[in-house]
Amino acid sequence: MSTMATPDTHRLLAATPAEHPPRLTLEQLLGLVEDAGLTGRGGAGFPTAIKVRSVAEGRRRPVLVGNAMEGEPLSKKDAVLLTRVPHLVVEGLAVVGRAIGARRLVLAIGPDVHPAAAEEAARGRGVEVARLDGGFVAGQESALVNQLGGRPAVPSDPLVRVTTRGLDGRPTLVLNAETLAQVALLARHGADWFRRVGTEEDPGTSLFSISGAVAHPGVVEAGRGTPLSRVLAPAEPDAPVAVLVGGYHGAWVPGWALDTPLTGSALKEYGATVGAGVLHVLGPNTCPIRVAADIAAYLAGESAQQCGPCLNGLPRMAEGLRRLARRAPDPGLPAEIDRMRLLVTGRGACAHPDGTARMVASTMRVFAPHVDRHLAGHCGLEGHR
Ligand code: SF4
């Protein structure tokens, strides 16, 4: 996997190991991440200070888990981080672990992340490296904690938070690998340095995994809020018709809107979020309905099969899209797909049905002309079987 930098940023990917990693108290760490406005880089974008505080105030010593599961098939950033700069992730674990008084430090890595460099970086630093089974929902916090505890890698009851009762029955803080790497740099350089890149609303840099119709797929580091076209430029996209922002649970930004800054507020118009920084480019010769149908089928197959929306709704929504992609002459298909989308939204024990519904809704909205052409039996683009 290649890596690239936009002209303004190469912070994470160029970092060398620190001779003397900083040692922060809890108050210092909280002040730093709060001043920097650091948010989680795993997808949800939750403020890191709130997550840290949620385990630090309990009576029992917590467990800290670094999440490098990379369950999203289009994401490659954890693999790049743990190959290029594993020391930064381990340093982040050490900084946060010390500040919160963690009893255990665990780095959980998925099957697509090469473990050797991470194991080498962790040696002698008090960090356990756990190589786990993968899957789309395996990186969800409670699923991850379950697998680490020897149980099936499926999400648990959302009312019992891992920050209250997680690994070993202790409060457990799960931070994404990139978030930990950002904390390591933040501890070295301070909040002012961190905020020098990005926007007031959304400071710092992020790693973006770029795939699809591009000459150079890979991982690029860019300031938050950089326009989509500029983040994509090093990968040399081929006449993008649209970009799936946020991965399989994301939403499409049309090709005519590539000057959209990658911030939460700007992307809201398209129903997208920066998420885990996944950008998939749709080229001019690929059928978007077929792409969405394949993703929906994959997601329906990846559910933990324990809640109604995943057992019944996702397969039916995926089947509707598959029939549409095959140009079934059924004018009721869009309404049926929409009915399924509404039925699954907000009904799962985790965000999997909602994320799948978001991608499907965006497909039907952004590619409405393609939907009409399919219903009329026409589609001259690639990918039909
Ligand atoms: S919503 Fe789906 S993926 Fe999430 S816990 Fe329920 S069955 Fe599993």
Side-chain angles (χ1 to χ4, degrees):
M1 176 56 50
S2 67
T3 57
M4 300 162 275
T6 48
D8 54 353
T9 43
H10 211 185
R11 287 179 162 188
L12 291 166
L13 297 179
T16 53
E19 261 184 50
H20 303 290
R23 296 162 72 88
L24 303 180
T25 64
L26 178 62
E27 288 67 33
Q28 287 169 328
L29 175 69
L30 286 171
L32 203 54
V33 291
E34 237 156 25
D35 288 352
L38 178 64
T39 51
R41 301 305 202 234
F46 203 66
T48 303
I50 295 178
K51 281 190 84 169
V52 172
R53 196 168 271 125
S54 68
V55 296
E57 288 168 352
R59 284 208 313 240
R60 300 189 74 192
R61 284 177 65 192
V63 173
L64 174 61
V65 177
N67 185 351
M69 291 298 289
E70 198 129 79
E72 159 70 51
L74 297 175
S75 178
K76 305 294 174 204
K77 73 188 178 95
D78 290 353
V80 162
L81 266 177
L82 289 177
T83 307
R84 288 276 300 267
V85 286
H87 54 85
L88 214 50
V89 180
V90 169
E91 191 178 317
L93 277 164
V95 168
V96 177
R98 183 174 190 278
I100 64 174
R103 189 180 167 95
R104 277 177 78 184
L105 306 179
V106 182
L107 176 57
I109 62 176
D112 295 333
V113 178
H114 202 273
E119 286 168 348
E120 175 65 29
R123 193 161 298 135
R125 304 290 301 271
V127 174
E128 307 162 38
V129 176
R131 298 160 67 170
L132 302 181
D133 293 336
F136 196 84
V137 297
Q140 194 270 353
E141 282 188 2
S142 60
L144 175 51
V145 165
N146 281 338
Q147 190 176 174
L148 283 169
R151 295 179 293 280
V154 296
S156 296
D157 180 351
L159 295 177
V160 183
R161 293 178 182 276
V162 298
T163 50
T164 308
R165 186 175 171 76
L167 194 55
D168 306 333
R170 292 177 175 275
T172 300
L173 174 62
V174 180
L175 292 178
N176 176 259
E178 185 188 340
T179 311
L180 287 163
Q182 296 281 7
V183 169
L185 289 184
L186 188 51
R188 290 186 196 178
H189 303 294
D192 288 345
W193 171 88
F194 185 86
R195 298 189 71 96
R196 228 172 270 155
V197 174
T199 66
E200 181 67 27
E201 168 205 352
D202 207 352
T205 66
S206 270
L207 297 177
F208 294 92
S209 306
I210 303 177
S211 59
V214 295
H216 309 291
V219 173
V220 62
E221 182 174 4
R224 310 271 288 187
T226 303
L228 183 48
S229 57
R230 210 161 132 230
V231 176
L232 292 174
E236 297 184 26
D238 171 22
V241 169
V243 179
L244 183 60
V245 175
Y248 281 10
H249 276 174
W252 297 97
V253 173
W256 48 261
L258 296 190
D259 56 352
T260 304
L262 288 170
T263 63
S265 55
L267 289 169
K268 204 177 265 177
E269 181 176 350
Y270 305 101
T273 63
V274 180
V278 171
L279 306 173
H280 184 74
V281 177
L282 184 82
N285 299 315
T286 302
C287 172
I289 309 300
R290 192 266 302 167
V291 170
D294 286 350
I295 295 174
Y298 169 84
L299 293 173
E302 284 293 301
S303 85
Q305 304 276 317
Q306 54 182 6
C307 309
C310 281
L311 275 172
N312 306 311
L314 297 196
R316 288 177 66 178
M317 199 160 60
E319 173 61 11
L321 268 175
R322 189 189 68 83
R323 292 187 63 218
L324 189 59
R326 292 190 172 182
R327 291 161 288 180
D330 179 353
L333 267 178
E336 175 61 11
I337 292 169
D338 202 45
R339 195 173 73 83
M340 284 300 126
R341 179 183 70 77
L342 292 171
L343 271 178
V344 303
T345 300
R347 299 269 167 78
C350 77
H352 188 56
D354 293 39
T356 308
R358 180 184 312 120
M359 186 281 297
V360 170
S362 170
T363 301
M364 301 300 279
R365 189 172 59 242
V366 170
F367 300 110
H370 292 260
V371 171
D372 292 343
R373 278 210 294 279
H374 279 74
L375 290 173
H378 310 301
C379 177
L381 299 176
E382 289 171 5
H384 288 285
R385 297 180 286 262

